[in-house]
Amino acid sequence: MRKTGSKGMELPSLWEKARKLIGPEKGVVHLATAAVLNAVWDLWAKQEGKPLWKLLVDMDPRMLLSCIDFRYITDVLTEEEAYGILQKGQIGKKERERQMLMHGYPAYTTSCAWLGYSDDTLKQLCTEALQDGWTRFKVKVGADLQDDIRRCRLIRNMIGPEKTLMMDANQRWDVPEAIEWMSKLAEFKPLWIEEPTSPDDILGHATISKALVPLGIGVATGEQCHNRVIFKQLLQAKALQFLQIDSCRLGSVNENLSVLLMAKKFEIPVCPHAGGVGLCELVQHLIIFDFISVSASLKNRMCEYVDHLHEHFRYPVTIKKASYMPPKDAGYSTEMKEESVKKHQYPDGEVWKKLLAAQNN
């Protein structure tokens, strides 16, 4: 799309300018692409009368592959290789679909151990989660080593040695610091350390991974990965043991499909990022599809769950026995309640009016 100036010169559109300034397939342009295309997928699934995961599961492999852009990744995954993966995934697919409908996809909770929670709050939330059947827990770390040691010991003592514990540093450390810090936390047997350093530092993640694997600690990352190319390099560099897709950071369902297929090629488990705010509603479809049609495995696989803001969605996630139950409503589960949208519209929504009034006072 181009506009012609008054002197007959072609001027780049705002979209093209943004793409050149920010870079292809990253930044705000890529996020906007994800929003638009995710909405298209929602409409497609509604048109077919199916939840998105079922639309993907039922789709002919060639049709599915036509939705994927293989540019920049053919050195690790060609379209024909992807077709072979999907064809192999046809074997036992009906049985895996019945398994999902009956038991759901395993989840882990991030809601018990945010940084800043008091010990009493942490104990209360862990106790409630255990009573609700949760067996996989993630704790935030990275602010203070001694505090991390104390909090991790508290959590590990509460959940016992048999349950799964993960740690998340949210990009806190330099590479040597990450290795040293996690060496001190290894006694608590974490399955992984998530985002130990800059999400853009592929070689840094590889260095951390090489150092921590002998300690039994994997590296997990992906929620901030710009695109499929970053994931490709993380896989090539053996920089992660757990791959964390995000339903909105990548360019919608289309690009997530390519990453799921690459992960299968490298036999790396996918454990999606789903930090609330509607991400759980979205990514559940992708990971259920992954199990049924791509990975065919639940080994070391689980999907994040955070228990807030679900009340704003018309089709919120259903968690039973610490598992995501497959959505049955048509679409991508993205539709928000009209009253929630109205309250939060800027600047005339009720929530914004109160905030702006408070600022003026």
Side-chain angles (χ1 to χ4, degrees):
M1 294 175 62
R2 288 184 177 271
K3 294 181 180 178
T4 302
S6 58
K7 295 184 180 180
M9 296 174 62
E10 283 194 336
L11 301 175
S13 68
L14 182 60
W15 181 275
E16 288 170 326
K17 282 184 177 178
R19 187 177 186 276
K20 288 177 181 177
L21 287 169
I22 299 170
E25 301 184 19
K26 65 179 73 171
V28 68
V29 172
H30 209 44
L31 292 171
T33 299
V36 172
L37 291 179
N38 278 338
V40 172
W41 280 97
D42 180 52
L43 291 171
W44 186 358
K46 286 177 177 175
Q47 180 69 27
E48 295 295 324
K50 298 177 180 181
L52 180 83
W53 68 266
K54 181 63 171 169
L55 175 72
L56 295 172
V57 164
D58 290 347
M59 198 177 294
D60 176 79
R62 287 295 183 193
M63 171 67 80
L64 194 73
L65 293 176
S66 73
C67 300
I68 297 174
D69 186 352
F70 283 88
R71 284 181 304 170
Y72 312 136
I73 64 171
T74 55
D75 51 327
V76 300
L77 183 72
T78 66
E79 185 170 343
E80 284 307 307
E81 285 178 310
Y83 180 72
I85 290 171
L86 292 174
Q87 282 293 89
K88 188 175 180 181
Q90 299 293 312
I91 303 169
K93 189 168 77 169
K94 291 297 183 184
E95 289 78 7
R96 291 192 295 276
E97 183 173 337
R98 284 195 290 269
Q99 180 181 343
M100 284 290 99
L101 290 169
M102 185 176 294
H103 300 292
Y105 197 94
Y108 72 86
T109 178
T110 303
S111 300
C112 297
W114 297 97
L115 283 175
Y117 277 179
S118 67
D119 287 359
D120 287 342
T121 298
L122 194 153
K123 290 177 184 178
Q124 177 188 340
L125 293 174
C126 275
T127 299
E128 292 172 356
L130 288 165
Q131 291 172 349
D132 288 338
W134 290 94
T135 60
R136 306 170 185 88
F137 299 78
K138 189 166 78 179
V139 56
K140 300 287 185 174
V141 297
D144 179 87
L145 178 57
Q146 293 308 311
D147 190 52
D148 283 349
I149 292 172
R150 183 183 57 78
R151 291 168 66 250
C152 289
R153 179 170 290 118
L154 189 158
I155 294 168
R156 178 51 86 187
N157 287 341
M158 287 197 69
I159 68 175
E162 75 286 355
K163 292 185 173 60
T164 304
L165 182 66
M166 290 81 70
M167 299 179 185
D168 185 355
N170 285 114
Q171 313 156 28
R172 188 88 183 198
W173 302 313
D174 283 350
V175 172
E177 187 180 17
I179 295 169
E180 181 181 3
W181 202 296
M182 287 309 301
S183 297
K184 301 289 178 58
L185 297 180
E187 64 174 290
F188 305 110
K189 305 298 181 185
L191 179 65
W192 76 53
I193 177 60
E194 184 173 331
E195 288 198 313
T197 191
S198 166
D200 297 337
D201 190 354
I202 295 159
L203 297 182
H205 276 85
T207 299
I208 295 167
S209 174
K210 186 177 181 180
L212 296 185
V213 163
L215 300 178
I217 304 172
V219 169
T221 194
E223 70 178 86
Q224 297 290 344
C225 281
H226 297 296
N227 50 48
R228 64 195 180 282
V229 179
I230 301 296
F231 275 117
K232 179 190 78 168
Q233 293 180 61
L234 286 165
L235 290 165
Q236 287 174 308
K238 299 180 180 179
L240 78 177
Q241 285 69 49
F242 300 91
L243 187 149
Q244 297 175 310
I245 58 169
D246 182 280
S247 53
C248 296
R249 175 67 62 177
L250 296 183
S252 85
V253 176
N254 305 66
E255 191 166 33
N256 270 296
L257 292 174
S258 68
V259 175
L260 292 175
L261 289 162
M262 284 193 290
K264 173 60 178 175
K265 168 83 178 287
F266 283 83
E267 293 296 341
I268 294 294
V270 177
C271 300
H273 169 248
V277 297
L279 296 174
C280 299
E281 277 72 18
L282 288 159
V283 85
Q284 62 179 332
H285 292 270
L286 301 177
I287 200 61
I288 290 168
F289 160 75
D290 178 64
F291 171 68
I292 296 172
S293 296
V294 181
S295 71
S297 172
L298 292 178
K299 183 179 180 181
N300 278 337
R301 296 167 189 268
M302 65 200 90
C303 187
E304 184 175 23
Y305 175 72
V306 178
D307 62 354
H308 65 262
L309 299 177
H310 302 289
E311 67 274 12
H312 296 292
F313 290 84
R314 287 191 62 190
Y315 310 108
V317 295
T318 299
I319 298 289
K320 289 184 180 178
K321 296 182 180 180
S323 295
Y324 279 90
M325 301 309 296
K328 296 182 179 179
D329 295 292
Y332 199 5
S333 305
T334 54
E335 191 172 344
M336 297 186 72
K337 294 178 179 177
E338 189 174 338
E339 58 268 29
S340 291
V341 174
K342 187 175 180 181
K343 280 184 179 180
H344 292 82
Q345 279 184 328
Y346 178 83
D348 299 320
E350 177 185 324
V351 172
W352 280 102
K353 282 184 176 179
K354 288 180 179 178
L355 286 171
L356 294 171
Q359 284 181 355
N360 292 333
N361 291 334

